[in-house]
C-alpha cells in the first residue's frame, strides 16, 4: 500500500467518524425531553432534596404553608447579598407558616458549608447535585426565587437579588 492509499483511508475514516458524531448529536438533540419553564399560576414541580444536616425535604410536604423557593450559588454575588436578609425574614416568618427552601445549584458540600457558616444561615439549604431540580424549574441566571402559596401554586417568579424590604413583602404575599 502506498502513501496515497494510506492517506485516503485515514481521511475517509476521519470523515466517517465526524459524520457519525454529527448524526448522534442531531439524534440526541431531537429526542431529548423538552421541559417547559415553570410559569406563574402553575402548580410547583415536586422534588426531594437533602439539606446540609441530612434532613430530607419534599416540596409537597410543605402544602398548607407558603414557600420561598430560592435557587442560588456561592459564587453568585447577588445571591450572597440577599442571603442574610432572607435569614432575618425566615426568623420572623417561619412560625407564621412561611418557609424558605434554598437550593444550591450543584456545588460541593464543602463550599456550601463554608458559605452557610460565613453568613450564619439557619434556613434549610439543599444542594441539587445532579441539577435535576434546576432543570425542572429551568433556572438561569441566578438568583431566582419562586413564591409558592399554601396550595402549592406558583404565584410569582422573581429574578435577581432582593432587598430585605422586598423579601418581607413577598413573605407577606405567601403567608397562609
Amino acid at each position: 500500500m502506498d502513501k496515497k492509499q494510506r492517506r485516503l483511508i485515514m481521511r475517509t475514516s476521519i470523515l466517517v467518524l465526524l459524520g457519525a458524531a454529527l448524526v448522534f448529536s442531531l439524534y440526541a438533540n431531537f429526542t431529548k425531553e423538552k421541559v417547559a419553564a415553570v410559569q406563574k399560576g402553575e402548580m410547583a414541580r415536586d422534588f426531594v432534596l437533602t439539606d446540609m444536616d441530612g434532613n430530607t425535604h419534599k416540596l409537597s410536604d410543605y402544602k398548607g404553608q407558603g414557600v420561598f423557593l430560592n435557587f442560588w450559588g456561592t459564587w453568585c454575588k447577588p445571591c450572597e447579598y440577599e442571603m442574610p436578609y432572607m435569614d432575618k425574614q425566615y426568623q420572623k416568618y417561619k412560625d407564621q407558616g412561611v418557609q424558605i427552601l434554598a437550593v444550591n445549584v450543584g456545588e460541593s458540600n464543602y463550599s456550601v458549608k463554608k458559605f452557610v457558616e460565613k453568613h450564619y444561615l439557619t434556613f434549610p439549604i439543599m444542594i441539587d447535585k445532579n441539577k435535576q431540580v434546576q432543570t425542572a424549574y429551568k433556572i438561569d441566571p441566578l438568583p431566582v426565587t419562586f413564591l409558592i402559596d399554601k396550595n402549592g401554586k406558583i404565584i410569582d417568579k422573581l429574578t435577581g437579588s432582593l432587598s430585605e424590604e422586598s423579601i418581607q413583602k413577598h413573605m407577606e404575599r405567601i403567608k397562609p
Side-chain angles (χ1 to χ4, degrees):
M1 193 184 298
D2 70 346
K3 226 175 179 176
K4 275 187 172 182
Q5 283 180 318
R6 281 197 309 255
R7 205 174 10 217
L8 180 64
I9 291 171
M10 184 60 83
R11 287 180 179 163
T12 305
S13 301
I14 290 171
L15 196 56
V16 167
L17 280 172
L18 285 173
L22 178 64
V23 168
F24 174 77
S25 175
L26 288 171
Y27 171 78
N29 218 4
F30 287 119
T31 59
K32 75 178 178 185
E33 194 177 318
K34 301 284 187 228
V35 179
V38 179
Q39 300 295 323
K40 210 160 109 169
E42 289 181 12
M43 294 303 287
R45 294 182 182 152
D46 204 12
F47 62 84
V48 178
L49 289 173
T50 305
D51 69 20
M52 300 302 291
D53 298 324
N55 302 312
T56 301
H57 297 268
K58 183 176 183 181
L59 183 60
S60 56
D61 288 346
Y62 289 90
K63 228 177 188 133
Q65 301 180 67
V67 178
F68 190 90
L69 178 61
N70 179 264
F71 291 87
W72 67 285
T74 61
W75 46 267
C76 165
K77 286 299 172 193
C79 302
E80 186 171 8
Y81 170 79
E82 70 185 2
M83 285 287 181
Y85 300 143
M86 285 169 49
D87 198 70
K88 190 172 179 186
Q89 294 308 311
Y90 174 69
Q91 296 305 322
K92 181 178 174 183
Y93 283 93
K94 67 180 177 179
D95 296 328
Q96 297 179 47
V98 178
Q99 299 300 317
I100 290 180
L101 297 178
V103 179
N104 176 274
V105 292
E107 295 182 80
S108 73
N109 282 20
Y110 178 79
S111 59
V112 173
K113 187 176 187 315
K114 288 291 174 203
F115 184 94
V116 169
E117 289 170 355
K118 176 182 175 185
H119 295 286
Y120 306 101
L121 303 176
T122 58
F123 49 82
I125 294 185
M126 297 144 289
I127 301 175
D128 185 14
K129 294 263 188 231
N130 53 15
K131 298 186 179 183
Q132 282 184 317
V133 181
Q134 180 183 2
T135 302
Y137 278 80
K138 287 271 197 194
I139 303 304
D140 188 40
L142 295 175
V144 173
T145 301
F146 290 89
L147 301 179
I148 303 169
D149 72 10
K150 66 181 181 179
N151 301 313
K153 188 185 284 185
I154 295 171
I155 63 164
D156 215 343
K157 177 183 177 182
L158 313 167
T159 307
S161 189
L162 302 170
S163 68
E164 186 169 1
E165 184 182 319
S166 69
I167 291 170
Q168 182 178 4
K169 283 179 186 172
H170 294 308
M171 294 275 202
E172 281 292 330
R173 290 175 64 195
I174 57 176
K175 189 166 85 170

Coordinates of all heavy atoms in Angstrom, one line a residue, residues 103-152:
V103 N -32.0 26.2 47.3 CA -31.5 25.1 46.5 C -30.2 25.6 45.9 O -30.3 26.5 45.0 CB -32.5 24.6 45.5 CG1 -31.9 23.5 44.6 CG2 -33.8 24.2 46.2
N104 N -29.1 25.1 46.3 CA -27.8 25.4 45.6 C -27.7 24.6 44.4 O -28.0 23.4 44.3 CB -26.6 25.1 46.6 CG -25.3 25.3 45.9 OD1 -24.8 24.4 45.3 ND2 -24.8 26.5 46.1
V105 N -27.2 25.2 43.3 CA -27.2 24.5 42.0 C -25.9 23.8 41.8 O -25.0 24.2 41.0 CB -27.4 25.5 40.9 CG1 -28.9 26.0 40.9 CG2 -26.5 26.7 40.9
G106 N -25.7 22.6 42.5 CA -24.7 21.6 42.2 C -23.3 21.9 42.6 O -22.4 21.3 42.0
E107 N -23.1 22.6 43.7 CA -21.7 22.9 44.2 C -21.4 21.8 45.2 O -22.2 21.0 45.6 CB -21.6 24.3 44.7 CG -21.8 25.3 43.7 CD -21.6 26.7 44.3 OE1 -20.5 27.2 44.4 OE2 -22.6 27.4 44.5
S108 N -20.1 21.8 45.6 CA -19.6 20.9 46.6 C -20.2 21.2 48.0 O -20.5 22.3 48.3 CB -18.1 20.8 46.7 OG -17.6 22.0 47.3
N109 N -20.3 20.1 48.8 CA -20.8 20.3 50.2 C -19.8 21.2 50.9 O -20.3 22.1 51.7 CB -20.8 18.9 50.9 CG -22.0 18.1 50.6 OD1 -22.6 18.3 49.5 ND2 -22.3 17.1 51.4
Y110 N -18.5 21.1 50.7 CA -17.5 22.0 51.4 C -17.8 23.4 51.1 O -17.9 24.2 52.1 CB -16.1 21.6 50.9 CG -15.1 22.4 51.6 CD1 -14.6 22.2 52.9 CD2 -14.5 23.5 50.9 CE1 -13.7 23.0 53.5 CE2 -13.5 24.3 51.5 CZ -13.1 24.0 52.8 OH -12.2 24.8 53.3
S111 N -17.9 23.8 49.8 CA -18.1 25.3 49.5 C -19.4 25.8 50.1 O -19.5 26.9 50.6 CB -17.9 25.5 48.0 OG -18.9 24.8 47.3
V112 N -20.5 25.0 50.0 CA -21.8 25.4 50.5 C -21.7 25.6 52.0 O -22.2 26.5 52.6 CB -22.9 24.5 50.1 CG1 -24.2 24.8 50.7 CG2 -23.0 24.5 48.5
K113 N -21.1 24.6 52.7 CA -21.0 24.6 54.2 C -20.2 25.9 54.6 O -20.6 26.5 55.6 CB -20.3 23.3 54.6 CG -20.3 23.2 56.1 CD -19.6 21.8 56.5 CE -19.6 21.4 57.9 NZ -19.3 22.1 58.9
K114 N -19.1 26.2 53.9 CA -18.3 27.4 54.3 C -19.2 28.6 54.1 O -19.1 29.6 54.9 CB -17.1 27.5 53.4 CG -16.0 26.4 53.8 CD -15.5 26.8 55.1 CE -14.5 25.7 55.6 NZ -14.4 25.7 57.1
F115 N -19.9 28.7 53.0 CA -20.8 29.9 52.8 C -21.9 30.0 53.9 O -22.1 31.1 54.4 CB -21.5 29.7 51.4 CG -22.3 30.8 51.0 CD1 -21.8 31.8 50.2 CD2 -23.7 30.9 51.3 CE1 -22.5 32.9 49.7 CE2 -24.4 32.0 50.9 CZ -23.9 33.0 50.1
V116 N -22.5 28.9 54.2 CA -23.5 28.9 55.3 C -23.0 29.4 56.6 O -23.6 30.2 57.3 CB -24.2 27.5 55.4 CG1 -25.1 27.4 56.6 CG2 -25.0 27.1 54.1
E117 N -21.8 28.8 56.9 CA -21.1 29.2 58.2 C -20.7 30.7 58.2 O -20.9 31.4 59.2 CB -19.9 28.4 58.4 CG -20.2 26.9 58.8 CD -19.0 26.0 58.8 OE1 -17.9 26.5 58.4 OE2 -19.1 24.9 59.2
K118 N -20.2 31.2 57.1 CA -19.8 32.6 56.9 C -21.0 33.6 57.2 O -20.8 34.6 57.8 CB -19.2 32.8 55.6 CG -18.8 34.3 55.3 CD -18.3 34.4 53.9 CE -18.0 35.9 53.5 NZ -17.6 36.0 52.1
H119 N -22.2 33.2 56.7 CA -23.3 34.1 56.8 C -24.3 33.7 57.9 O -25.4 34.3 58.0 CB -24.0 34.1 55.4 CG -23.2 34.7 54.3 ND1 -22.9 36.1 54.3 CD2 -22.5 34.1 53.3 CE1 -22.1 36.3 53.3 NE2 -21.8 35.2 52.7
Y120 N -24.0 32.7 58.7 CA -24.8 32.2 59.8 C -26.2 31.9 59.4 O -27.2 32.4 60.0 CB -24.8 33.3 60.9 CG -23.4 33.6 61.4 CD1 -22.8 34.8 61.0 CD2 -22.7 32.8 62.3 CE1 -21.5 35.1 61.4 CE2 -21.4 33.1 62.7 CZ -20.8 34.3 62.2 OH -19.6 34.6 62.6
L121 N -26.4 31.2 58.3 CA -27.7 30.9 57.7 C -28.4 29.8 58.5 O -27.7 28.8 58.8 CB -27.6 30.6 56.3 CG -27.0 31.6 55.4 CD1 -26.8 31.2 54.0 CD2 -27.7 33.0 55.5
T122 N -29.7 29.9 58.8 CA -30.4 28.9 59.6 C -31.5 28.2 58.8 O -32.0 27.2 59.3 CB -31.0 29.6 60.9 OG1 -31.9 30.6 60.4 CG2 -29.9 30.2 61.7
F123 N -31.9 28.7 57.7 CA -33.0 28.0 56.9 C -32.4 26.8 56.2 O -31.2 26.7 56.0 CB -33.7 29.0 56.0 CG -32.7 29.8 55.1 CD1 -32.2 29.3 53.9 CD2 -32.4 31.1 55.4 CE1 -31.4 30.1 53.1 CE2 -31.6 31.9 54.7 CZ -31.0 31.3 53.5
P124 N -33.3 25.9 55.8 CA -32.8 24.7 55.1 C -32.1 25.0 53.7 O -32.7 25.7 52.9 CB -34.1 23.9 54.8 CG -35.1 24.4 55.8 CD -34.7 25.9 56.0
I125 N -30.9 24.5 53.6 CA -30.2 24.6 52.4 C -29.8 23.3 51.8 O -29.2 22.4 52.5 CB -28.9 25.4 52.6 CG1 -29.3 26.9 53.1 CG2 -28.0 25.4 51.4 CD1 -28.2 27.8 53.3
M126 N -30.3 23.1 50.6 CA -30.1 21.8 49.9 C -29.2 22.0 48.7 O -29.1 23.1 48.1 CB -31.4 21.2 49.5 CG -32.3 20.9 50.6 SD -34.0 21.2 50.3 CE -34.1 23.0 50.3
I127 N -28.5 20.9 48.3 CA -27.6 21.0 47.1 C -28.3 20.1 46.0 O -28.5 18.9 46.3 CB -26.2 20.6 47.4 CG1 -25.6 21.4 48.4 CG2 -25.4 20.6 46.1 CD1 -24.2 21.0 48.9
D128 N -28.5 20.7 44.9 CA -29.1 19.9 43.7 C -27.9 19.4 43.0 O -27.5 19.9 41.9 CB -29.9 20.9 42.9 CG -30.6 20.3 41.7 OD1 -30.7 19.0 41.7 OD2 -31.1 21.0 40.9
K129 N -27.3 18.3 43.5 CA -26.1 17.7 43.0 C -26.1 17.4 41.5 O -25.2 17.7 40.7 CB -25.8 16.4 43.7 CG -25.4 16.6 45.2 CD -24.0 16.7 45.4 CE -23.6 16.7 46.8 NZ -22.8 17.8 47.2
N130 N -27.2 16.7 41.0 CA -27.3 16.4 39.6 C -28.1 17.4 38.8 O -28.4 17.1 37.6 CB -27.8 15.0 39.4 CG -29.1 14.8 40.1 OD1 -29.8 15.7 40.5 ND2 -29.5 13.5 40.3
K131 N -28.4 18.5 39.4 CA -29.1 19.6 38.7 C -30.5 19.2 38.1 O -31.0 19.9 37.2 CB -28.3 20.2 37.7 CG -27.0 20.8 38.3 CD -26.2 21.6 37.3 CE -25.0 22.2 37.9 NZ -24.1 23.0 37.1
Q132 N -31.1 18.2 38.7 CA -32.5 17.8 38.2 C -33.5 18.9 38.6 O -34.4 19.1 37.8 CB -32.9 16.5 38.9 CG -32.2 15.3 38.2 CD -32.7 14.0 38.8 OE1 -32.9 13.8 40.0 NE2 -33.0 13.0 37.9
V133 N -33.4 19.4 39.8 CA -34.4 20.5 40.2 C -34.2 21.7 39.4 O -35.1 22.4 38.9 CB -34.4 20.7 41.7 CG1 -35.4 21.8 42.1 CG2 -34.6 19.4 42.5
Q134 N -32.9 22.1 39.2 CA -32.6 23.3 38.4 C -33.1 23.1 36.9 O -33.7 24.0 36.4 CB -31.1 23.4 38.3 CG -30.6 24.6 37.5 CD -29.1 24.8 37.4 OE1 -28.4 24.0 37.9 NE2 -28.7 25.8 36.7
T135 N -33.0 21.9 36.4 CA -33.5 21.6 35.1 C -35.1 21.7 35.1 O -35.7 22.2 34.2 CB -33.0 20.3 34.6 OG1 -31.6 20.3 34.6 CG2 -33.6 19.9 33.2
A136 N -35.7 21.1 36.1 CA -37.2 21.0 36.1 C -37.8 22.4 36.2 O -38.8 22.7 35.7 CB -37.6 20.2 37.4
Y137 N -37.0 23.3 36.9 CA -37.5 24.7 37.0 C -37.0 25.7 36.0 O -37.3 26.9 36.0 CB -37.3 25.2 38.4 CG -38.3 24.8 39.4 CD1 -38.3 23.5 40.0 CD2 -39.3 25.6 39.8 CE1 -39.2 23.0 40.9 CE2 -40.3 25.2 40.7 CZ -40.3 23.9 41.2 OH -41.2 23.5 42.1
K138 N -36.1 25.2 35.1 CA -35.5 26.0 34.0 C -34.8 27.2 34.7 O -35.1 28.4 34.3 CB -36.5 26.4 33.0 CG -36.9 25.4 32.1 CD -36.0 25.3 30.9 CE -36.7 24.5 29.8 NZ -35.7 24.2 28.8
I139 N -33.8 27.0 35.6 CA -33.2 28.1 36.3 C -31.9 28.6 35.5 O -31.0 27.8 35.2 CB -32.7 27.6 37.7 CG1 -33.9 27.1 38.5 CG2 -32.0 28.7 38.4 CD1 -35.0 28.1 38.6
D140 N -32.0 29.8 35.2 CA -30.8 30.5 34.5 C -31.3 31.9 34.3 O -32.3 32.1 33.6 CB -30.4 29.8 33.2 CG -29.2 30.4 32.7 OD1 -28.2 30.7 33.5 OD2 -29.1 30.6 31.5
P141 N -30.7 32.9 34.7 CA -29.5 33.0 35.6 C -29.9 33.0 37.0 O -31.1 32.9 37.3 CB -28.9 34.4 35.2 CG -30.1 35.2 34.9 CD -31.1 34.3 34.2
L142 N -28.9 33.1 37.9 CA -29.2 33.1 39.4 C -29.1 34.6 39.9 O -28.4 35.4 39.2 CB -28.1 32.3 40.1 CG -28.1 30.8 39.8 CD1 -26.9 30.1 40.5 CD2 -29.4 30.1 40.2
P143 N -29.7 34.8 41.0 CA -30.6 34.1 41.8 C -32.0 34.1 41.2 O -32.4 35.1 40.5 CB -30.6 34.7 43.2 CG -30.3 36.2 42.9 CD -29.4 36.1 41.7
V144 N -32.8 33.1 41.5 CA -34.2 33.0 41.1 C -35.0 32.6 42.3 O -34.6 31.6 43.0 CB -34.5 32.1 39.9 CG1 -35.9 31.9 39.6 CG2 -33.7 32.5 38.7
T145 N -36.1 33.2 42.6 CA -37.0 32.8 43.7 C -38.4 32.6 43.2 O -38.9 33.4 42.4 CB -36.9 33.9 44.8 OG1 -35.6 34.1 45.2 CG2 -37.8 33.5 46.0
F146 N -39.0 31.5 43.6 CA -40.4 31.2 43.3 C -41.2 31.4 44.6 O -40.8 30.9 45.6 CB -40.5 29.8 42.8 CG -40.0 29.6 41.4 CD1 -38.6 29.2 41.3 CD2 -40.7 29.8 40.3 CE1 -38.1 29.0 40.0 CE2 -40.2 29.6 39.0 CZ -38.9 29.2 38.9
L147 N -42.3 32.1 44.5 CA -43.2 32.3 45.6 C -44.3 31.3 45.4 O -45.0 31.3 44.4 CB -43.7 33.7 45.7 CG -42.7 34.8 45.8 CD1 -43.4 36.2 45.8 CD2 -41.9 34.7 47.0
I148 N -44.4 30.4 46.4 CA -45.4 29.3 46.3 C -46.4 29.4 47.4 O -46.0 29.5 48.6 CB -44.7 27.9 46.4 CG1 -43.6 27.8 45.2 CG2 -45.7 26.8 46.3 CD1 -42.7 26.6 45.3
D149 N -47.7 29.4 47.1 CA -48.7 29.6 48.1 C -49.0 28.3 48.8 O -48.4 27.3 48.5 CB -50.0 30.3 47.5 CG -50.8 29.3 46.6 OD1 -50.5 28.1 46.5 OD2 -51.7 29.8 45.9
K150 N -49.9 28.4 49.8 CA -50.2 27.3 50.7 C -50.8 26.1 49.9 O -50.8 24.9 50.4 CB -51.1 27.7 51.8 CG -52.5 28.1 51.3 CD -53.4 28.5 52.5 CE -54.8 28.9 51.9 NZ -55.7 29.3 53.0
N151 N -51.3 26.3 48.7 CA -51.9 25.2 47.9 C -50.8 24.6 46.9 O -51.2 23.7 46.2 CB -53.1 25.7 47.1 CG -54.1 26.3 48.0 OD1 -54.5 25.6 49.0 ND2 -54.6 27.5 47.7
G152 N -49.6 25.1 47.0 CA -48.6 24.6 46.1 C -48.5 25.2 44.7 O -47.8 24.8 43.8

